[in-house]
Amino acid sequence: MTSLDELPIRDDLRGKTPYGAPQKTVPVALNVNENTHPIPEDVAHDIVARVAAAIIGLNRYPDREFTELRTALAGYLGHGLVPEQIWAANGSNEVLQHILQAFGGPGRTALGFGPTYSMYGLLAAGTGTEWVTAERDDDFELSAETALAAIERHDPDIVLLCAPNNPTGTPLALDTIRAVADTARGIVVVDEAYFEFAEPGDPSALTLLEGRPRLLVSRTMSKAFAFAGARVGYLAGDPAAIDALRLVRLPYHLSALTQAAALGALAHADEMLAMVDEIRGQRERISRELAALGYRPYRSGANFVLFGGVDDPHAVFEALLARGILIREIGLPGCLRVTAGTEAETTAFLEAMASFAPNRMTA
Ligand SMILES: *Cc1c(COP(=O)(O)O)cnc(C)c1O
């Protein structure tokens, strides 16, 4: 056995830690923003049949251009998008990695607004891209003025906008996205991993794609779509930008099994997304009840809530874990993040929180 320090690892990776949300088997897992409702059984059967059919052909490489999947994704997104404007990979993390590989790299910078998704910094590090974070406004909001000032200051090659933002839940106004897309000289990525949880009718950054070839909008099947284990993320953008991503992807990066499973899930999109309203309702309930308990929930357009007012976040995290409830410590002072689960999971979480709340009624 040797230690990592003794290996000839790249200097810029020395001392770095890998992504590491705890994976624990607990009755109530509300830590990585999955859709905690299981896949409907009839959908699961259809997916199994499609995967079974694909298995017969596994002696051959899969469709490198995943044309059928891109067509299905374009149809799901709507907005008049065509398959040539769609890209996909093993999770939107891989989509983002492709963007950084193609448009970032040594001597280039990517800008984000912290606190934001921890993978951005890791993906930047892995691709040799310099990761720069700028501050948000009060309550983690991001106005166009604040965003533009940071772009002027840092002149980034890539801007990563997380809308709504993880880990804070903060929705991002289309005005801010438009201002950034029209000002930044480089690539602007809007990560809409949680878009389906926005208020119905809220516009997507997809509405801004027309005439903006440097704007890319990424989505995932891991959250609202209840398909995290399948690893499918995707993106919409200009066909020329998609061609750039083709230069860095591994050949046949989406397995035939992944393509078959994703096509099955997309064929039942309505059913797969049926629980989204319910989850949004549980999110609102979490915010309301945590506020009544004296905690400080932040505005969320996602399927999770960041809340402050916790004296000792680590102690609360551990006390919840002792009750079989796993949430997320995200390193923000006085704050914790919880995923909106099923009604029963949410009840278990809220009942536990009530027992260590600042406003707790003393008997
Ligand atoms: C969960 C999440 C993703 C999705 O990652 P996948 O690789 O698609 O599972 C992307 N962006 C953000 C901000 C997320 O929270």
Side-chain angles (χ1 to χ4, degrees):
M1 284 283 278
T2 188
S3 83
L4 184 51
D5 288 341
E6 295 171 80
L7 292 176
I9 189 173
R10 274 164 40 188
D11 290 335
D12 60 340
L13 293 181
R14 269 188 204 285
K16 288 244 176 353
T17 33
Y19 176 85
Q23 284 200 298
K24 292 183 196 292
T25 309
V26 291
V28 181
L30 302 174
N31 65 327
V32 285
N33 303 337
E34 296 146 334
N35 181 337
T36 67
H37 298 262
I39 292 181
E41 208 169 310
D42 61 319
V43 180
H45 284 303
D46 186 29
I47 294 172
V48 167
R50 289 165 184 260
V51 170
I55 284 173
I56 312 286
L58 286 186
N59 56 312
R60 301 287 186 185
Y61 282 111
D63 175 9
R64 196 171 50 218
E65 296 302 330
F66 46 100
T67 312
E68 203 183 338
L69 179 57
R70 279 158 67 213
T71 306
L73 288 167
Y76 168 70
L77 286 177
H79 293 91
L81 291 165
V82 294
E84 293 71 28
Q85 291 174 279
I86 306 293
W87 188 244
N90 299 281
S92 54
N93 275 289
E94 192 182 46
V95 170
L96 296 171
Q97 185 177 52
H98 287 162
I99 297 170
L100 285 158
Q101 286 177 307
F103 296 104
R108 296 194 170 197
T109 54
L111 172 73
F113 296 86
T116 191
Y117 188 39
S118 63
M119 276 308 300
Y120 297 158
L122 289 172
L123 290 166
T127 57
T129 311
E130 187 189 348
W131 173 237
V132 180
T133 53
E135 294 205 343
R136 292 172 171 268
D137 304 309
D138 289 349
D139 294 334
F140 308 119
E141 299 288 334
L142 183 59
S143 65
E145 299 76 60
T146 299
L148 294 190
I151 286 163
E152 193 171 333
R153 197 158 59 244
H154 298 290
D155 190 33
D157 297 285
I158 300 172
V159 183
L160 285 160
L161 297 174
C162 194
N165 187 50
N166 183 9
T168 63
T170 324
L172 184 60
L174 204 65
D175 284 351
T176 300
I177 299 172
R178 188 189 294 108
V180 169
D182 290 343
T183 305
R185 77 175 154 78
I187 294 288
V188 175
V189 184
V190 185
D191 181 349
E192 291 192 341
Y194 299 97
F195 178 77
E196 288 90 346
F197 298 106
E199 293 315 310
D202 274 7
S204 159
L206 293 172
T207 59
L208 301 175
L209 282 178
E210 183 73 40
R212 294 183 178 88
R214 289 175 291 101
L215 179 63
L216 303 174
V217 182
S218 76
R219 296 270 187 102
T220 181
M221 294 181 76
S222 297
K223 306 291 160 62
F225 233 94
F227 220 45
R231 309 305 299 125
V232 187
Y234 54 103
L235 164 147
D238 191 274
I242 308 287
D243 282 340
L245 305 182
R246 252 186 210 101
L247 297 173
V248 297
R249 63 98 178 273
L250 296 174
Y252 317 107
H253 68 291
L254 275 179
S255 86
L257 304 181
T258 302
Q259 295 185 42
L263 281 165
L266 284 162
H268 301 274
D270 289 350
E271 239 185 298
M272 293 294 278
L273 293 169
M275 301 316 290
V276 164
D277 286 345
E278 158 69 19
I279 294 165
R280 212 189 279 115
Q282 295 304 322
R283 172 193 78 202
E284 292 306 301
R285 176 183 168 215
I286 291 170
S287 296
R288 202 170 52 240
E289 295 194 19
L290 285 180
L293 289 169
Y295 296 105
R296 180 153 193 270
Y298 289 90
R299 189 165 85 95
S300 174
N303 67 336
F304 59 86
V305 177
L306 177 76
F307 57 98
V310 187
D311 288 340
D312 185 345
H314 186 65
V316 171
F317 173 85
E318 289 291 346
L320 286 167
L321 194 55
R323 296 182 186 212
I325 303 165
L326 180 61
I327 67 165
R328 191 70 174 271
E329 290 184 275
I330 36 131
L332 282 175
C335 290
L336 288 166
R337 191 194 73 188
V338 64
T339 306
T342 61
E343 183 175 6
E345 289 167 333
T346 303
T347 299
F349 164 73
L350 288 169
E351 283 180 1
M353 290 306 293
S355 68
F356 9 92
N359 284 0
R360 178 173 76 235
M361 307 288 275
T362 37

